[in-house]
Amino acid sequence: MLLFVGLLVFAAADVVYALQVNANTYVRGTPLAAAWAIGLALLALWVDGMERTHPAAVSETSPATGRAALMVPVVATAAGLGVLLVSSRVPLSTLSVALAGATLVAATARTQVAFRQVAWMAHLRRMASATDDLTGLPNRRALHVEGHTRLADPERCRQSLLMLDLDKFKEVNDSLGHHAGDQLLVQVGARLREHLRPGDLLARLGGDEFAVLLEDAGHTEAIDVTVKLRAALAEPFALEDITLHTSVSVGIALFPDHGLDLSSLLRTADIAMYKAKTSGRGQHVYNTADDTDATTRLKTVEELRTALTTDQLVVHYQPKIDLDSGEVRNVEALVRWDHPTRGLLYPDAFLALVEESGLMRTLTRVVLQVALDQAAVWHAEGRPLTVAVNLSGSTMIDISLPDEVAAMLTVRNLPPGALQLEITEEFLMADRDRARNILTRLRSSGVQISIDDFGTGYSSLSYLRDLPLDELKLDRSFVFPMVDDARAAALVASTIGLAHSLGLRLVAEGVETKAAYTELVRLGCDQAQGYYMSRPVPAAELDLWLSARDVAHELTEMTGLLPTLD
Ligand code: C2E
Ligand code: CA
Ligand code: CA
């Protein structure tokens, strides 16, 4: 209303003025002059009201309106100057001259204030666009701007760029949620900052990637800092409701050896970082051979993604034989990659990459689906085999797993006992409470839990007391030497005793010879798995093997001979 009436009064006064001038009847100093003043006053009141009711809108004015605001004092200044100039030729009233002078002074003061405001706003805007919202660290853009300046400075001849990437961060995000992921990133940022010198430039590039431009640092210094930072991040992080261990892979590029500008240093550090990840060493200084490695790796990750969605992953099954009856009630599902050009690949060739590229969750789901589909077929055929699926250590934090597993069993109409999960001791390492939670939920739904590669882990045995378990699988490194080495045999015997005293089943893996098989039967081991009985084979082949075995079994029962395997 104020704006509208103000403009109306102003326009009306102008129209009257124009008519009077035209009719030559205009006289100065009539109430008409007051109409302009009243119009202006109404406009001023409108602006004032705006500022009170919408302070945010006014303070968030864009640079364009900020500059437009400057027009008012500028025009006032010009008008004041004009009056003063005119007064030097035409005699004007002292009051007009004094007012014009005062306008000039006030406008100058106001202009200065306005300029300062505009400059401050621009500064804030620059700051905001250079800072990462989550961690408050400089962002990629700031790294580029500041990095450019530093690299161009002839005084600073030795600099190093570190590229840091958290290991398995995607799993944290997927399993614990983005909130936990964010908390972790904030703490990682703070911890990195703590261990750097004030002159080092730390930036968050996005996601779980950080970069550090080290001042005055060559090869040796860069490695020293890297070792220090990796040690700092190896300490546990306390998030709201969980303690988390993380690790970081670091790629190092040196200036000027590996690049003359920030973009090429970032690229080379990135390649070195991937090398650090895949080699499992955690840190790596760039060298030219990395270029080809990086290309191959990227290609393989892409192929893996395709493989996971296009049935290229196949599952082979290896039987676990009950040693007392010779029956087969359990099989282990082992994944293979039927690669379009490289042939059948074994887990050794691709599992590490699956883990690194954050695809383990997907792989576990695919294997579970395939294995349970197969179990459903066997059940329908009257062969109620239990399939054992391997879970990687990183699955430990996957709290949605028990529900998903239950749903997978239900849709296939399978009893929970049709599934067994094999986990390694590593699975229990990172967060015991969470592991216990997941395992308890799985087991109370009826799924069996087995500790794989038993004896190779370095965690304490105390988990045997407080975790819900069904089976221990003694690692093959204990089974191989059993026949020739009395101490190894004693270890196997006592592990069987240990398992039994805890009410657990003991399975021996890597049974390659008849001698080992016979010895395990003698020692009272529950089940055996190994090449001696069968290699892991496709389901159809296992069916043939099982049928042949059934026939052999019936024959031996008929002839009263003991079952033999040769
Ligand atoms: P694992 O769980 O210890 O599986 C047993 C491995 O021992 C299999 O290797 C199997 O082929 C091999 N093996 C069986 N009998 C014998 C024997 O008599 N002698 C010897 N020397 N080896 C024998 P494979 O299939 O290459 O799998 C290697 C590892 O990859 C597995 O070790 C497991 O840790 C992992 N893995 C396999 N499938 C999956 C999967 O679906 N998910 C996950 N997360 N890991 C998997
Ligand atoms: Ca296994
Ligand atoms: Ca094993």
Side-chain angles (χ1 to χ4, degrees), residues 320 330-333 364 367-368 371-372 386-392 395 401-402 404-406 408-409 416-424 427 438-439 441-443 445-452 468-473 505:
K320 299 179 181 177
N330 301 69
V331 294
E332 177 173 5
T364 305
V367 174
L368 273 169
L372 289 177
T386 293
V387 284
V389 171
N390 291 281
L391 292 187
S392 82
T395 328
L401 187 77
E404 283 182 41
V405 163
M408 284 185 194
L409 287 162
L419 178 66
Q420 195 175 358
L421 294 171
E422 294 192 5
I423 59 174
T424 55
F427 185 97
I438 295 173
L439 291 185
R441 281 164 58 208
L442 281 165
R443 190 153 179 277
S445 75
V447 171
Q448 298 176 53
I449 309 293
S450 169
I451 299 287
D452 207 350
L469 304 172
D470 299 277
E471 176 183 285
L472 302 180
K473 288 188 82 178
R505 192 163 62 225

Side-chain angles (χ1 to χ4, degrees), residues 332 390 422 424 452-454 473-476 509 529:
E332 177 173 5
N390 291 281
E422 294 192 5
T424 55
D452 207 350
D453 304 342
F454 183 71
K473 288 188 82 178
L474 186 61
D475 190 66
R476 46 184 176 270
E509 345 177 271
Q529 179 181 353

Side-chain angles (χ1 to χ4, degrees), residues 67 117 158 205 208 251 268 283 294 298 302 317 320 348 397 436 441-442 445 481 524 564:
R67 260 172 249 126
Q117 282 174 340
R158 283 184 339 146
L205 301 179
D208 58 341
T268 45
Q283 64 198 53
L298 275 180
E302 275 321 302
Y317 302 88
K320 299 179 181 177
D348 279 356
I397 50 175
R436 187 192 292 117
R441 281 164 58 208
L442 281 165
S445 75
T564 72

Side-chain angles (χ1 to χ4, degrees), residues 521-543:
V521 175
R522 194 182 68 79
L523 292 175
C525 183
D526 302 288
Q527 290 186 339
Q529 179 181 353
Y531 294 168
Y532 173 59
M533 293 79 81
S534 168
R535 290 187 171 257
V537 289
E541 222 171 289
L542 187 79
D543 284 341

